[in-house]
Amino acid sequence: MTPKELVLALFTAAFVDHDPEAARQLVTPDYIQHNPQVPTGADGLMGLIPLVAGSGMTATTHRVITEGDLVVLHNTYDNADAFGAASLAAFDIFRVEDGKVAEHWDNLQPIPGTTASGRGMTDGPTDITDRDRTAENKALVLGFVQDVLGGAAPQNAPNYMDPEIYMQHNPNLEDGLAGLLAGTQAWADQGFVITKFEPQIVVAEGNFVFVASDATVSGKPWAFFDLWRVEDGKIVEHWDVVSPTPSEMAHENGKF
């Protein structure tokens, strides 16, 4: 199986069919877990599956982005009250090694009833195009992350995007560069100041580029999982899942 096929088979076994034995065949025994609440190892994942089944939680995958041995799923979890909220938006990242799924990272965020832009956290285009421009689009997005989100040179934003064409799925931000800047300022006014924004995982396929970043917000660790869509050499659309990183975890693997 390709990495994409393998990850989708695991996701189906664990979160749709709720079949621990089928899932166990697809992961390494020392499966590395980065979800803060789930113990590491294959047994940790197997222990989660009955809890998911018993809770009635359902999963929907909206996008699959693959590069090399990494596969990113853009998911919605519904009936997820047992895991923090009625509905959760999520990015799940899996690393494949020697025909097995070897590692998993994720970020989850409650889905609000309304959003600033009117768009949902997971709707919008899903088709992957422009695979021949993957490297170019990856470099574009990483430049945007460093200059604009990381604060190295925010004045360079127009090099990466049309300030008027930036379709926003972050529930608290309006469209356009103005919406991004206004939202960032409003967050700062509430006491949330970003002093570190460092990409840890980057997965690009065609017109989609995903970046998972380790951040420091007002002195505390946060995780920003972002997905951008690129069109004709400009960033045009953005989705994200943002959450604070807890200080205590069920393992010693860290968030990243």
Side-chain angles (χ1 to χ4, degrees), residues 179-197:
L180 173 61
L181 297 178
T184 302
Q185 183 60 52
W187 218 44
D189 291 343
Q190 296 172 37
F192 297 99
V193 179
I194 298 174
T195 54
K196 181 180 83 168
F197 201 94

mmCIF file with all atom_site columns, all heavy atoms in Angstrom, residues 179-197:
data_model
loop_
_atom_site.group_PDB
_atom_site.id
_atom_site.type_symbol
_atom_site.label_atom_id
_atom_site.label_alt_id
_atom_site.label_comp_id
_atom_site.label_asym_id
_atom_site.label_entity_id
_atom_site.label_seq_id
_atom_site.pdbx_PDB_ins_code
_atom_site.Cartn_x
_atom_site.Cartn_y
_atom_site.Cartn_z
_atom_site.occupancy
_atom_site.B_iso_or_equiv
_atom_site.pdbx_formal_charge
_atom_site.auth_seq_id
_atom_site.auth_comp_id
_atom_site.auth_asym_id
_atom_site.auth_atom_id
_atom_site.pdbx_PDB_model_num
ATOM 1   N N   . GLY A 1 179 ? -7.971 41.389 7.586  1.00 0.00 ? 179 GLY A N   1
ATOM 2   C CA  . GLY A 1 179 ? -8.610 40.559 8.605  1.00 0.00 ? 179 GLY A CA  1
ATOM 3   C C   . GLY A 1 179 ? -7.593 39.813 9.439  1.00 0.00 ? 179 GLY A C   1
ATOM 4   O O   . GLY A 1 179 ? -7.739 39.700 10.664 1.00 0.00 ? 179 GLY A O   1
ATOM 5   N N   . LEU A 1 180 ? -6.529 39.320 8.791  1.00 0.00 ? 180 LEU A N   1
ATOM 6   C CA  . LEU A 1 180 ? -5.472 38.623 9.511  1.00 0.00 ? 180 LEU A CA  1
ATOM 7   C C   . LEU A 1 180 ? -4.770 39.555 10.487 1.00 0.00 ? 180 LEU A C   1
ATOM 8   O O   . LEU A 1 180 ? -4.573 39.217 11.662 1.00 0.00 ? 180 LEU A O   1
ATOM 9   C CB  . LEU A 1 180 ? -4.462 38.048 8.512  1.00 0.00 ? 180 LEU A CB  1
ATOM 10  C CG  . LEU A 1 180 ? -3.190 37.433 9.104  1.00 0.00 ? 180 LEU A CG  1
ATOM 11  C CD1 . LEU A 1 180 ? -3.524 36.258 10.016 1.00 0.00 ? 180 LEU A CD1 1
ATOM 12  C CD2 . LEU A 1 180 ? -2.245 37.007 7.985  1.00 0.00 ? 180 LEU A CD2 1
ATOM 13  N N   . LEU A 1 181 ? -4.407 40.742 10.021 1.00 0.00 ? 181 LEU A N   1
ATOM 14  C CA  . LEU A 1 181 ? -3.693 41.691 10.879 1.00 0.00 ? 181 LEU A CA  1
ATOM 15  C C   . LEU A 1 181 ? -4.570 42.200 12.014 1.00 0.00 ? 181 LEU A C   1
ATOM 16  O O   . LEU A 1 181 ? -4.115 42.339 13.158 1.00 0.00 ? 181 LEU A O   1
ATOM 17  C CB  . LEU A 1 181 ? -3.169 42.853 10.032 1.00 0.00 ? 181 LEU A CB  1
ATOM 18  C CG  . LEU A 1 181 ? -2.138 42.473 8.958  1.00 0.00 ? 181 LEU A CG  1
ATOM 19  C CD1 . LEU A 1 181 ? -1.732 43.695 8.152  1.00 0.00 ? 181 LEU A CD1 1
ATOM 20  C CD2 . LEU A 1 181 ? -0.931 41.793 9.576  1.00 0.00 ? 181 LEU A CD2 1
ATOM 21  N N   . ALA A 1 182 ? -5.843 42.468 11.702 1.00 0.00 ? 182 ALA A N   1
ATOM 22  C CA  . ALA A 1 182 ? -6.759 42.945 12.741 1.00 0.00 ? 182 ALA A CA  1
ATOM 23  C C   . ALA A 1 182 ? -6.979 41.874 13.807 1.00 0.00 ? 182 ALA A C   1
ATOM 24  O O   . ALA A 1 182 ? -7.015 42.166 15.009 1.00 0.00 ? 182 ALA A O   1
ATOM 25  C CB  . ALA A 1 182 ? -8.092 43.355 12.119 1.00 0.00 ? 182 ALA A CB  1
ATOM 26  N N   . GLY A 1 183 ? -7.111 40.627 13.359 1.00 0.00 ? 183 GLY A N   1
ATOM 27  C CA  . GLY A 1 183 ? -7.310 39.549 14.315 1.00 0.00 ? 183 GLY A CA  1
ATOM 28  C C   . GLY A 1 183 ? -6.096 39.318 15.192 1.00 0.00 ? 183 GLY A C   1
ATOM 29  O O   . GLY A 1 183 ? -6.214 39.062 16.392 1.00 0.00 ? 183 GLY A O   1
ATOM 30  N N   . THR A 1 184 ? -4.913 39.417 14.588 1.00 0.00 ? 184 THR A N   1
ATOM 31  C CA  . THR A 1 184 ? -3.680 39.266 15.351 1.00 0.00 ? 184 THR A CA  1
ATOM 32  C C   . THR A 1 184 ? -3.548 40.368 16.398 1.00 0.00 ? 184 THR A C   1
ATOM 33  O O   . THR A 1 184 ? -3.151 40.117 17.543 1.00 0.00 ? 184 THR A O   1
ATOM 34  C CB  . THR A 1 184 ? -2.469 39.293 14.405 1.00 0.00 ? 184 THR A CB  1
ATOM 35  O OG1 . THR A 1 184 ? -2.605 38.247 13.434 1.00 0.00 ? 184 THR A OG1 1
ATOM 36  C CG2 . THR A 1 184 ? -1.177 39.105 15.174 1.00 0.00 ? 184 THR A CG2 1
ATOM 37  N N   . GLN A 1 185 ? -3.909 41.604 16.003 1.00 0.00 ? 185 GLN A N   1
ATOM 38  C CA  . GLN A 1 185 ? -3.838 42.723 16.933 1.00 0.00 ? 185 GLN A CA  1
ATOM 39  C C   . GLN A 1 185 ? -4.860 42.555 18.064 1.00 0.00 ? 185 GLN A C   1
ATOM 40  O O   . GLN A 1 185 ? -4.558 42.823 19.239 1.00 0.00 ? 185 GLN A O   1
ATOM 41  C CB  . GLN A 1 185 ? -4.084 44.041 16.202 1.00 0.00 ? 185 GLN A CB  1
ATOM 42  C CG  . GLN A 1 185 ? -3.951 45.277 17.093 1.00 0.00 ? 185 GLN A CG  1
ATOM 43  C CD  . GLN A 1 185 ? -2.577 45.397 17.708 1.00 0.00 ? 185 GLN A CD  1
ATOM 44  O OE1 . GLN A 1 185 ? -1.562 45.336 16.996 1.00 0.00 ? 185 GLN A OE1 1
ATOM 45  N NE2 . GLN A 1 185 ? -2.509 45.539 19.038 1.00 0.00 ? 185 GLN A NE2 1
ATOM 46  N N   . ALA A 1 186 ? -6.059 42.091 17.717 1.00 0.00 ? 186 ALA A N   1
ATOM 47  C CA  . ALA A 1 186 ? -7.087 41.878 18.736 1.00 0.00 ? 186 ALA A CA  1
ATOM 48  C C   . ALA A 1 186 ? -6.648 40.808 19.730 1.00 0.00 ? 186 ALA A C   1
ATOM 49  O O   . ALA A 1 186 ? -6.889 40.927 20.943 1.00 0.00 ? 186 ALA A O   1
ATOM 50  C CB  . ALA A 1 186 ? -8.405 41.476 18.068 1.00 0.00 ? 186 ALA A CB  1
ATOM 51  N N   . TRP A 1 187 ? -5.981 39.774 19.237 1.00 0.00 ? 187 TRP A N   1
ATOM 52  C CA  . TRP A 1 187 ? -5.472 38.716 20.111 1.00 0.00 ? 187 TRP A CA  1
ATOM 53  C C   . TRP A 1 187 ? -4.421 39.290 21.059 1.00 0.00 ? 187 TRP A C   1
ATOM 54  O O   . TRP A 1 187 ? -4.408 38.989 22.240 1.00 0.00 ? 187 TRP A O   1
ATOM 55  C CB  . TRP A 1 187 ? -4.894 37.601 19.237 1.00 0.00 ? 187 TRP A CB  1
ATOM 56  C CG  . TRP A 1 187 ? -5.165 36.224 19.771 1.00 0.00 ? 187 TRP A CG  1
ATOM 57  C CD1 . TRP A 1 187 ? -6.344 35.758 20.282 1.00 0.00 ? 187 TRP A CD1 1
ATOM 58  C CD2 . TRP A 1 187 ? -4.245 35.128 19.844 1.00 0.00 ? 187 TRP A CD2 1
ATOM 59  N NE1 . TRP A 1 187 ? -6.220 34.441 20.653 1.00 0.00 ? 187 TRP A NE1 1
ATOM 60  C CE2 . TRP A 1 187 ? -4.951 34.031 20.401 1.00 0.00 ? 187 TRP A CE2 1
ATOM 61  C CE3 . TRP A 1 187 ? -2.912 34.967 19.481 1.00 0.00 ? 187 TRP A CE3 1
ATOM 62  C CZ2 . TRP A 1 187 ? -4.351 32.786 20.604 1.00 0.00 ? 187 TRP A CZ2 1
ATOM 63  C CZ3 . TRP A 1 187 ? -2.317 33.722 19.681 1.00 0.00 ? 187 TRP A CZ3 1
ATOM 64  C CH2 . TRP A 1 187 ? -3.020 32.652 20.233 1.00 0.00 ? 187 TRP A CH2 1
ATOM 65  N N   . ALA A 1 188 ? -3.543 40.135 20.496 1.00 0.00 ? 188 ALA A N   1
ATOM 66  C CA  . ALA A 1 188 ? -2.507 40.766 21.324 1.00 0.00 ? 188 ALA A CA  1
ATOM 67  C C   . ALA A 1 188 ? -3.136 41.665 22.384 1.00 0.00 ? 188 ALA A C   1
ATOM 68  O O   . ALA A 1 188 ? -2.669 41.721 23.529 1.00 0.00 ? 188 ALA A O   1
ATOM 69  C CB  . ALA A 1 188 ? -1.550 41.558 20.448 1.00 0.00 ? 188 ALA A CB  1
ATOM 70  N N   . ASP A 1 189 ? -4.206 42.370 21.992 1.00 0.00 ? 189 ASP A N   1
ATOM 71  C CA  . ASP A 1 189 ? -4.883 43.254 22.941 1.00 0.00 ? 189 ASP A CA  1
ATOM 72  C C   . ASP A 1 189 ? -5.499 42.478 24.102 1.00 0.00 ? 189 ASP A C   1
ATOM 73  O O   . ASP A 1 189 ? -5.698 43.028 25.189 1.00 0.00 ? 189 ASP A O   1
ATOM 74  C CB  . ASP A 1 189 ? -5.970 44.065 22.222 1.00 0.00 ? 189 ASP A CB  1
ATOM 75  C CG  . ASP A 1 189 ? -5.390 45.093 21.260 1.00 0.00 ? 189 ASP A CG  1
ATOM 76  O OD1 . ASP A 1 189 ? -4.183 45.402 21.378 1.00 0.00 ? 189 ASP A OD1 1
ATOM 77  O OD2 . ASP A 1 189 ? -6.133 45.567 20.376 1.00 0.00 ? 189 ASP A OD2 1
ATOM 78  N N   . GLN A 1 190 ? -5.792 41.202 23.868 1.00 0.00 ? 190 GLN A N   1
ATOM 79  C CA  . GLN A 1 190 ? -6.342 40.342 24.921 1.00 0.00 ? 190 GLN A CA  1
ATOM 80  C C   . GLN A 1 190 ? -5.234 39.689 25.760 1.00 0.00 ? 190 GLN A C   1
ATOM 81  O O   . GLN A 1 190 ? -5.513 38.910 26.665 1.00 0.00 ? 190 GLN A O   1
ATOM 82  C CB  . GLN A 1 190 ? -7.218 39.249 24.297 1.00 0.00 ? 190 GLN A CB  1
ATOM 83  C CG  . GLN A 1 190 ? -8.450 39.772 23.590 1.00 0.00 ? 190 GLN A CG  1
ATOM 84  C CD  . GLN A 1 190 ? -9.173 38.674 22.818 1.00 0.00 ? 190 GLN A CD  1
ATOM 85  O OE1 . GLN A 1 190 ? -9.241 37.534 23.263 1.00 0.00 ? 190 GLN A OE1 1
ATOM 86  N NE2 . GLN A 1 190 ? -9.696 39.005 21.651 1.00 0.00 ? 190 GLN A NE2 1
ATOM 87  N N   . GLY A 1 191 ? -3.979 40.012 25.412 1.00 0.00 ? 191 GLY A N   1
ATOM 88  C CA  . GLY A 1 191 ? -2.856 39.492 26.184 1.00 0.00 ? 191 GLY A CA  1
ATOM 89  C C   . GLY A 1 191 ? -2.160 38.307 25.576 1.00 0.00 ? 191 GLY A C   1
ATOM 90  O O   . GLY A 1 191 ? -1.284 37.702 26.195 1.00 0.00 ? 191 GLY A O   1
ATOM 91  N N   . PHE A 1 192 ? -2.534 37.946 24.335 1.00 0.00 ? 192 PHE A N   1
ATOM 92  C CA  . PHE A 1 192 ? -1.910 36.802 23.665 1.00 0.00 ? 192 PHE A CA  1
ATOM 93  C C   . PHE A 1 192 ? -0.857 37.316 22.686 1.00 0.00 ? 192 PHE A C   1
ATOM 94  O O   . PHE A 1 192 ? -1.182 37.735 21.574 1.00 0.00 ? 192 PHE A O   1
ATOM 95  C CB  . PHE A 1 192 ? -2.958 35.970 22.924 1.00 0.00 ? 192 PHE A CB  1
ATOM 96  C CG  . PHE A 1 192 ? -3.987 35.348 23.832 1.00 0.00 ? 192 PHE A CG  1
ATOM 97  C CD1 . PHE A 1 192 ? -5.239 35.942 23.994 1.00 0.00 ? 192 PHE A CD1 1
ATOM 98  C CD2 . PHE A 1 192 ? -3.708 34.175 24.523 1.00 0.00 ? 192 PHE A CD2 1
ATOM 99  C CE1 . PHE A 1 192 ? -6.190 35.364 24.824 1.00 0.00 ? 192 PHE A CE1 1
ATOM 100 C CE2 . PHE A 1 192 ? -4.659 33.604 25.359 1.00 0.00 ? 192 PHE A CE2 1
ATOM 101 C CZ  . PHE A 1 192 ? -5.895 34.204 25.519 1.00 0.00 ? 192 PHE A CZ  1
ATOM 102 N N   . VAL A 1 193 ? 0.397  37.284 23.086 1.00 0.00 ? 193 VAL A N   1
ATOM 103 C CA  . VAL A 1 193 ? 1.486  37.812 22.271 1.00 0.00 ? 193 VAL A CA  1
ATOM 104 C C   . VAL A 1 193 ? 2.388  36.659 21.827 1.00 0.00 ? 193 VAL A C   1
ATOM 105 O O   . VAL A 1 193 ? 2.921  35.912 22.668 1.00 0.00 ? 193 VAL A O   1
ATOM 106 C CB  . VAL A 1 193 ? 2.309  38.853 23.049 1.00 0.00 ? 193 VAL A CB  1
ATOM 107 C CG1 . VAL A 1 193 ? 3.464  39.371 22.204 1.00 0.00 ? 193 VAL A CG1 1
ATOM 108 C CG2 . VAL A 1 193 ? 1.411  40.006 23.498 1.00 0.00 ? 193 VAL A CG2 1
ATOM 109 N N   . ILE A 1 194 ? 2.558  36.520 20.519 1.00 0.00 ? 194 ILE A N   1
ATOM 110 C CA  . ILE A 1 194 ? 3.385  35.441 19.965 1.00 0.00 ? 194 ILE A CA  1
ATOM 111 C C   . ILE A 1 194 ? 4.842  35.886 19.923 1.00 0.00 ? 194 ILE A C   1
ATOM 112 O O   . ILE A 1 194 ? 5.177  36.888 19.284 1.00 0.00 ? 194 ILE A O   1
ATOM 113 C CB  . ILE A 1 194 ? 2.902  35.054 18.557 1.00 0.00 ? 194 ILE A CB  1
ATOM 114 C CG1 . ILE A 1 194 ? 1.462  34.534 18.602 1.00 0.00 ? 194 ILE A CG1 1
ATOM 115 C CG2 . ILE A 1 194 ? 3.822  33.990 17.952 1.00 0.00 ? 194 ILE A CG2 1
ATOM 116 C CD1 . ILE A 1 194 ? 0.853  34.262 17.239 1.00 0.00 ? 194 ILE A CD1 1
ATOM 117 N N   . THR A 1 195 ? 5.701  35.140 20.613 1.00 0.00 ? 195 THR A N   1
ATOM 118 C CA  . THR A 1 195 ? 7.131  35.466 20.621 1.00 0.00 ? 195 THR A CA  1
ATOM 119 C C   . THR A 1 195 ? 7.970  34.398 19.918 1.00 0.00 ? 195 THR A C   1
ATOM 120 O O   . THR A 1 195 ? 9.154  34.601 19.684 1.00 0.00 ? 195 THR A O   1
ATOM 121 C CB  . THR A 1 195 ? 7.647  35.643 22.056 1.00 0.00 ? 195 THR A CB  1
ATOM 122 O OG1 . THR A 1 195 ? 7.314  34.474 22.818 1.00 0.00 ? 195 THR A OG1 1
ATOM 123 C CG2 . THR A 1 195 ? 7.009  36.869 22.704 1.00 0.00 ? 195 THR A CG2 1
ATOM 124 N N   . LYS A 1 196 ? 7.368  33.243 19.604 1.00 0.00 ? 196 LYS A N   1
ATOM 125 C CA  . LYS A 1 196 ? 8.051  32.204 18.829 1.00 0.00 ? 196 LYS A CA  1
ATOM 126 C C   . LYS A 1 196 ? 7.048  31.553 17.900 1.00 0.00 ? 196 LYS A C   1
ATOM 127 O O   . LYS A 1 196 ? 5.907  31.287 18.298 1.00 0.00 ? 196 LYS A O   1
ATOM 128 C CB  . LYS A 1 196 ? 8.671  31.144 19.751 1.00 0.00 ? 196 LYS A CB  1
ATOM 129 C CG  . LYS A 1 196 ? 9.426  30.048 18.999 1.00 0.00 ? 196 LYS A CG  1
ATOM 130 C CD  . LYS A 1 196 ? 10.025 29.012 19.953 1.00 0.00 ? 196 LYS A CD  1
ATOM 131 C CE  . LYS A 1 196 ? 9.005  27.981 20.357 1.00 0.00 ? 196 LYS A CE  1
ATOM 132 N NZ  . LYS A 1 196 ? 9.610  26.812 21.054 1.00 0.00 ? 196 LYS A NZ  1
ATOM 133 N N   . PHE A 1 197 ? 7.462  31.311 16.648 1.00 0.00 ? 197 PHE A N   1
ATOM 134 C CA  . PHE A 1 197 ? 6.598  30.617 15.698 1.00 0.00 ? 197 PHE A CA  1
ATOM 135 C C   . PHE A 1 197 ? 7.514  29.829 14.769 1.00 0.00 ? 197 PHE A C   1
ATOM 136 O O   . PHE A 1 197 ? 8.029  30.355 13.791 1.00 0.00 ? 197 PHE A O   1
ATOM 137 C CB  . PHE A 1 197 ? 5.750  31.626 14.911 1.00 0.00 ? 197 PHE A CB  1
ATOM 138 C CG  . PHE A 1 197 ? 4.517  31.020 14.289 1.00 0.00 ? 197 PHE A CG  1
ATOM 139 C CD1 . PHE A 1 197 ? 3.296  31.061 14.950 1.00 0.00 ? 197 PHE A CD1 1
ATOM 140 C CD2 . PHE A 1 197 ? 4.580  30.396 13.051 1.00 0.00 ? 197 PHE A CD2 1
ATOM 141 C CE1 . PHE A 1 197 ? 2.163  30.507 14.391 1.00 0.00 ? 197 PHE A CE1 1
ATOM 142 C CE2 . PHE A 1 197 ? 3.449  29.838 12.482 1.00 0.00 ? 197 PHE A CE2 1
ATOM 143 C CZ  . PHE A 1 197 ? 2.230  29.892 13.148 1.00 0.00 ? 197 PHE A CZ  1
#
